[in-house]
Amino acid sequence: MEMQHLKAFVSVAEHGSITRAAEVLFSSQPAVSAQVKALEDDLGVVLFRRTGRGMVLTAEGQALLPRARRTLSDASGMVREAQRLRGEATGVLRVGVNHCGYDLRVAAISQRLVERFEAMELELVDGNSGGLTRLVIEEKVDVAFVEGDAADERLVDSPIGASRLGIIGPAKWRDDLTDSGWARLEEFPWVFQGPDCSYAQLMDRLSAEHGLSVRKQYRAEQFGAVHGLVAQGLAMSIADLDEAEPLVESGRVFVCGGYRYAMPVRLIALRARREEPAIAAFVEAALSIHGAGATGTGRRKARRVAGSTD
């Protein structure tokens, strides 16, 4: 039984398709099929059933999948421990990059890291804060930039800075919301990326504090789409004020007065893996670029958002 066979088994199980598994593994479909078949022969059981909806695990496959994942994780852990003992930063470092307006300076950090450790490769993974946090905990991402508080005790975080957030709405609603209180905000539809979005979570906390029931009528995958729905006059949202600046200046969006928030931006990693050479080197480079213990508010542009009073 070879590790490559286990990787093929786990990948097909996760994606439900040999075609997709081959793409993820940078392999061919016949090779992945052969690896799964070889593993089935070694184990003496059938792991998958072919159906019209793809590859479905058999009862035996479902029972063996967790052990296969643990075996792969243990093997990766052994490699990482050997690297730690050698004090080397090598291999592929998976870096989660959050969709936020704060300038994470990933290019500068990456350049510094690669100049110091030529054998290291960096893989950038996009996502929102909640999703990236889960990927770090699941060890599918090694280190990640996220917004909000890192409340999970399994994580260790390094402060990078803070984003400037505010509530934005369509220009046509400006008069309705001028000098209005919190209760007025629940009369309008809202748009967010989804429950994993740190801005949606902030709105949940604010709603609970003020006894509101905000109607999250729309959901969009990217902040650009969120801002677009606001600009089209369909919803309100919380936005990074620097990201929303072009729409504010165009007059299509306005920033509600009095609602300003600083959202912490942090670099997180698993506490148990924080001292691995590659992760430690990335965190060191990030803190050096941003300034250790940074607490300042990031800017994409030197100009401030029109109408901002913070």
Side-chain angles (χ1 to χ4, degrees), residues 7-277:
K7 289 180 180 179
F9 169 41
V10 171
S11 186
V12 173
E14 290 179 344
H15 298 286
S17 163
I18 287 180
T19 300
R20 179 58 182 146
E23 293 173 354
V24 171
L25 295 172
F26 299 100
S27 184
S28 66
Q29 295 180 39
V32 172
S33 295
Q35 289 160 358
V36 171
K37 182 63 169 60
L39 182 60
E40 290 178 327
D41 291 343
D42 287 341
L43 297 175
V45 297
V46 176
L47 299 172
F48 294 99
R49 289 185 294 104
R50 290 182 179 272
T51 72
R53 293 177 297 176
M55 302 290 284
V56 177
L57 285 167
T58 62
E60 292 82 1
Q62 291 176 351
L64 292 172
L65 181 60
R67 186 177 292 273
R69 285 175 169 149
R70 288 197 299 271
T71 300
L72 290 174
S73 179
D74 289 344
S76 297
M78 185 175 181
V79 172
R80 292 195 301 265
E81 178 64 12
Q83 292 173 350
R84 186 189 68 78
L85 293 171
R86 295 195 305 267
E88 296 179 359
T90 60
V92 178
L93 184 71
R94 298 158 300 182
V95 180
V97 180
N98 182 39
H99 303 306
C100 66
Y102 188 86
D103 185 1
L104 299 174
R105 306 186 67 185
V106 175
I109 297 168
S110 301
Q111 181 179 3
R112 179 168 298 190
L113 200 65
V114 172
E115 287 175 351
R116 181 179 174 189
F117 302 103
E118 294 183 359
M120 183 182 295
E121 299 178 23
L122 297 180
E123 177 183 338
L124 303 183
V125 180
D126 291 334
N128 57 32
S129 295
L132 290 175
T133 298
R134 281 200 305 275
L135 291 178
V136 170
I137 292 173
E138 295 169 359
E139 298 191 47
K140 295 180 179 179
V141 165
D142 303 306
V143 61
F145 293 97
V146 300
E147 289 182 294
D149 297 324
D152 196 300
E153 62 182 11
R154 292 169 291 181
L155 300 172
V156 59
D157 66 289
S158 302
I160 296 298
S163 299
R164 291 191 315 129
L165 306 186
I167 292 178
I168 62 172
K172 67 179 183 180
W173 294 347
R174 181 192 295 270
D175 292 340
D176 293 331
L177 288 165
T178 299
D179 299 324
S180 62
W182 279 97
R184 191 81 171 90
L185 297 179
E186 68 179 349
E187 299 177 16
F188 297 86
W190 290 70
V191 56
F192 292 100
Q193 281 189 299
D196 281 340
C197 174
S198 56
Y199 297 0
Q201 293 169 2
L202 171 61
M203 193 69 237
D204 287 340
R205 292 196 297 272
L206 294 173
S207 297
E209 290 174 7
H210 296 276
L212 305 181
S213 179
V214 169
R215 178 161 44 106
K216 298 177 182 176
Q217 188 162 7
Y218 301 98
R219 178 172 175 173
E221 291 300 319
Q222 302 292 335
F223 279 130
V226 170
H227 297 166
L229 287 172
V230 177
Q232 292 170 40
L234 297 177
M236 301 183 63
S237 192
I238 293 179
D240 181 285
L241 295 180
D242 295 298
E243 283 282 277
E245 182 176 13
L247 289 174
V248 173
E249 292 185 340
S250 72
R252 301 173 65 193
V253 167
F254 79 102
V255 181
C256 296
Y259 305 100
R260 300 290 188 276
Y261 310 96
M263 176 71 79
V265 179
R266 306 176 186 276
L267 183 59
I268 64 170
L270 273 178
R271 189 177 301 277
R273 299 186 56 196
R274 172 62 176 79
E275 299 308 318
E276 291 179 13

